[in-house]
């Protein structure tokens, strides 16, 4: 397209664009507020507020009940014919995944596999009553299980349990394993108890917003590091070797070193079974992905692999013949409720807090995705309450901390799940296994569970592609991702998460501490103001500078705000005043020297005149034209206005407008800085005005005693254009350019 055609199209577009014409006064903030009438609001005391919040009515009670138990709201209106078939298919499909993942993720949590089944039943069933998301699948999840396992191993290391056992075959001792596992189960259960209380309290106190501090780059970097932790922890099961499990800083390095040191003792049978399962699972996932639209339900490769692995192990007696480690005893039936070990709480409180926040963040992020896709809303605070109840109540029935599983949630949604009924059906399937057929999975090789865990990490490992994405879009978000990944990988998931959150907060401070500064100018013929350095059409008004910073004004950036203002406007009041004082001193010295020269010249001239007069009198000479020569003749008089010849530095502008549109708050340091700016520029003859200052910021300035006799509310204008017009009128340079 030629330049002429482009210009014609642009002009045609302008002709079609709607226009508006408004005639109104130039508003200062004070004038505008004077024409408006505020709504009268009776102030309430603290007692009145408490009484109002505690007041109860039938409508309010019903609303709170529906909020606490969402099932009461949607179950009576459940369309059976429309939703039930999809929920049944989805529940069965999710339950088929729930079973092997529960067994596998129990290994990550460092507890016997049956406790993974408990964690796949109680919390999932409870979420049906208290959850607000219709599609997420609650239960065991790799990242949370890994965090639980790290705490369990740290609190109950192998070295402590080995004390008191003198058997030469200590590692094969059933009593040793039973004692170790019992103590680790106590730690895991207490973690669920404490994290449930934390989530429940945060939900009741309406603290659902805490999840916003776990930004997407942080969560993705953290989960990618967790995937590496999980993968390395499963290598020993895949290879069929026995190594100690490590936790804390550099646990990944220690785990890899331990595996490599015993690589020569690899169990070939376990390795072959594990690799075969990995290949089958990858093929199954690829088929499900490629033929997603053609398949009525995804192929449940995980349960197929579990059934095949169990059958092969039982038929070939892998445990006895090839010494392949199996799941072992799975007790039938449910355990009686028991109180968690309360005395462990001080030692694991920080870990429980991290697990509670990470678990909630995972669940609420997936819930929001599905809610947006299917057009319903979720309540973050109620999700906290629901997860808290699931963990708290589940802990009495020997379940470890749970959250939303991404892979199962996608299956539950894609197979036609409509409501939480699908999750309830999946938990019932797990219950049937616990009660009736759990013993059938006792010959299942642990290497099969390791294969299931490793293949399920495929999606997390794809997050390494975030590095290229964030490199193109945002270097700061890339830094958050990298810090979250490296810190979580090297320091452990608990300390890594804290480090990543702290770094993310630092980036927020950095962004507000070092905002972008720019000078604005009008688009000709409009009251729209843009960056003068970005657009060729935008020009500044003569003598007027409009300054904008895209951040609030507070203690961290007040100094940089002042420096940028001086740099952008080209006017430094302090330097200008110093230059003026220097010029005045130089002028005073030169004036003093000129006066001294003048006195000497006058004295010399007087002496010459006296000598001439004596000579003339002696010669009887008369004055010329009846006048004598002036005593000051020939002496150049120094004018009192001689300082005009000494040019003092003067600013190139007369008005400065500060655009406060992006400013959300001002603290005491920012208010003092702003007041100092106004006074300093006033001393050099520059008037400072504030435009587009929001109501809350004005109230904050008032509370900070910003306004006084020298800084009045007349400096505030409703918009930039109002301030510009006022500047032009006050300086007598009003133009009709707009």
């Amino acid at each position: 397209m030629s330049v002429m055609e482009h210009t014609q199209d642009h002009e045609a577009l302008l002709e079609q664009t709607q226009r508006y014409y408004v005639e109104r006064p130039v508003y200062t903030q004070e004038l505008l507020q004077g024409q408006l009438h505020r709504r009268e609001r009776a102030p309430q005391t603290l007692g009145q507020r408490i009484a109002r919040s505690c007041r109860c009515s039938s409508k309010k009670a019903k609303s709170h009940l529906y909020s606490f138990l969402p099932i009461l709201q949607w179950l009576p209106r459940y369309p059976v014919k429309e939703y039930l078939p999809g929920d049944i298919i989805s529940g069965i499909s999710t339950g088929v995944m729930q079973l092997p993942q529960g067994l596998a993720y129990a290994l990550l949590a460092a507890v016997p596999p049956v406790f993974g089944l408990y964690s796949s039943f109680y919390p999932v069933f409870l979420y049906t009553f208290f959850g607000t998301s219709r599609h997420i699948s609650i239960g065991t999840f790799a990242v949370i299980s890994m965090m639980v396992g790290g705490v369990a191993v740290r609190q109950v290391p192998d070295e402590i349990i080995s004390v008191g056992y003198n058997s030469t075959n200590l590692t094969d001792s059933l009593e040793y394993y039973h004692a170790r596992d019992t103590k680790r189960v106590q730690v895991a259960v207490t973690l669920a108890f404490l994290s449930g209380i934390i989530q429940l309290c945060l939900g009741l106190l309406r603290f659902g917003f805490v999840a916003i501090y776990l930004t997407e780059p942080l969560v993705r970097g953290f989960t990618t590091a967790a995937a590496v932790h999980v993968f390395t922890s499963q290598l020993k099961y895949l290879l069929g070797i026995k190594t100690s499990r490590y936790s804390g800083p550099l646990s990944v390095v220690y785990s890899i070193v331990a595996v490599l040191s015993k690589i020569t003792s690899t169990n070939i049978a376990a390795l072959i079974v594990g690799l075969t399962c990995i290949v089958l699972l990858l093929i199954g996932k690829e088929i499900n992905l490629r033929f997603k639209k053609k398949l009525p339900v995804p192929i449940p490769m995980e349960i197929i692999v579990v059934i095949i692995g169990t059958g092969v192990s039982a038929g070939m007696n892998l445990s006895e013949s090839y010494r392949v480690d199996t799941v072992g005893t799975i007790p039938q039936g449910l355990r009686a409720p028991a109180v968690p070990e309360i005395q462990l709480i001080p030692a694991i409180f920080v870990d429980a807090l991290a697990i509670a926040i990470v678990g909630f963040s995972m669940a609420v992020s997936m819930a929001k995705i599905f809610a947006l896709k299917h057009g319903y809303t979720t309540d973050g605070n109620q999700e906290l309450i629901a997860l808290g109840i699931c963990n708290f109540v589940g802990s009495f029935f020997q379940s470890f901390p749970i959250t939303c599983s991404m892979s199962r949630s996608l299956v539950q949604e894609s197979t036609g799940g409509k409501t939480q009924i699908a999750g309830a059906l999946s938990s019932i399937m797990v219950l049937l296994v616990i009660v009736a057929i759990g013993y059938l999975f006792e010959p299942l090789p642990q290497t099969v569970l390791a294969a299931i865990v490793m293949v399920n990490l495929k999606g997390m490992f794809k997050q390494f592609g975030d590095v290229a994405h964030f490199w193109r879009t945002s270097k700061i978000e890339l830094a958050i991702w990298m810090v979250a990944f490296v810190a979580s990988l090297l320091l452990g998931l608990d300390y890594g998460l804290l480090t990543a959150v702290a770094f993310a907060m630092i980036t927020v401070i950095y962004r507000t501490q070092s905002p972008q500064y720019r000078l604005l100018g009008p688009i000709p013929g409009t009251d729209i103001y843009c960056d003068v350095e970005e657009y060729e059409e935008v020009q500044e008004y003569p003598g007027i500078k409009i300054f904008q910073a895209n951040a609030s004004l507070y203690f961290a950036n007040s100094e940089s705000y002042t420096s940028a203002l001086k740099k952008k406007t080209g006017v430094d009041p302090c330097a200008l005043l110093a230059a003026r004082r220097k010029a005045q001193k130089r002028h005073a010295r030169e004036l003093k020297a000129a006066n001294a020269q003048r006195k000497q010249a006058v004295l010399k001239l007087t002496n010459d005149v006296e000598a001439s007069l004596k000579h003339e009198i002696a010669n009887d000479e008369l004055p010329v034209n009846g006048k004598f020569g002036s005593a000051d003749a020939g002496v150049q008089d120094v004018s009192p206005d001689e300082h005009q010849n000494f040019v003092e530095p003067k600013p190139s502008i007369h008005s400065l407008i500060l655009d406060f549109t992006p400013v959300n708050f001002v603290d005491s340091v920012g208010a003092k800085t702003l007041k100092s700016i106004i006074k300093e520029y006033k001393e050099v003859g520059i008037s400072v005005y504030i435009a587009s200052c929001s109501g809350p910021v004005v109230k904050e300035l008032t509370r900070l005693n910003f306004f006084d006799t020298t800084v009045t509310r007349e400096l505030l204008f409703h918009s930039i254009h109002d301030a510009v017009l006022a500047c032009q009128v006050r300086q007598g340079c009003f133009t009709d350019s707009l």
Side-chain angles (χ1 to χ4, degrees), residues 253-320:
V253 178
Y254 295 144
S255 298
I256 294 175
V257 171
V259 169
L260 293 178
S261 65
K262 294 188 177 182
I263 195 75
T264 54
S265 60
T266 299
N267 189 314
I268 302 301
L271 180 60
I272 293 173
V273 172
L275 291 177
T276 303
C277 292
I278 289 176
V279 172
L280 291 175
L281 288 168
L282 289 174
I283 292 174
K285 285 186 176 292
E286 189 66 25
I287 292 173
N288 287 335
L289 183 63
R290 287 181 178 271
F291 302 98
K292 182 179 179 180
K293 296 182 179 179
K294 297 181 180 180
L295 293 173
V297 293
I299 300 174
M301 283 304 299
E302 291 179 343
I303 194 64
I304 292 174
V305 164
V306 166
I307 294 172
I308 293 174
T310 304
V312 170
S313 176
M316 298 181 65
N317 197 13
L318 295 181
S319 177
E320 296 294 334

Side-chain angles (χ1 to χ4, degrees), residues 498-516:
L498 294 176
T499 303
V501 171
F503 182 78
M505 297 299 293
I506 291 173
T507 61
V508 174
I509 297 173
Y510 169 76
R511 291 187 182 190
T512 57
Q513 189 177 358
S514 304
Q516 294 181 349

Side-chain angles (χ1 to χ4, degrees), residues 720-734:
I720 298 177
H721 200 59
D722 288 304
V724 168
L725 295 178
C727 293
Q728 291 178 332
V729 171
R730 292 176 186 181
Q731 295 297 326
C733 57
F734 183 76

Side-chain angles (χ1 to χ4, degrees), residues 330-349:
I330 298 180
Q332 271 187 292
L334 300 173
R335 289 198 171 200
V339 178
E341 299 290 333
I342 307 298
Q343 65 270 19
L344 291 172
I345 288 179
I348 61 174
F349 179 80

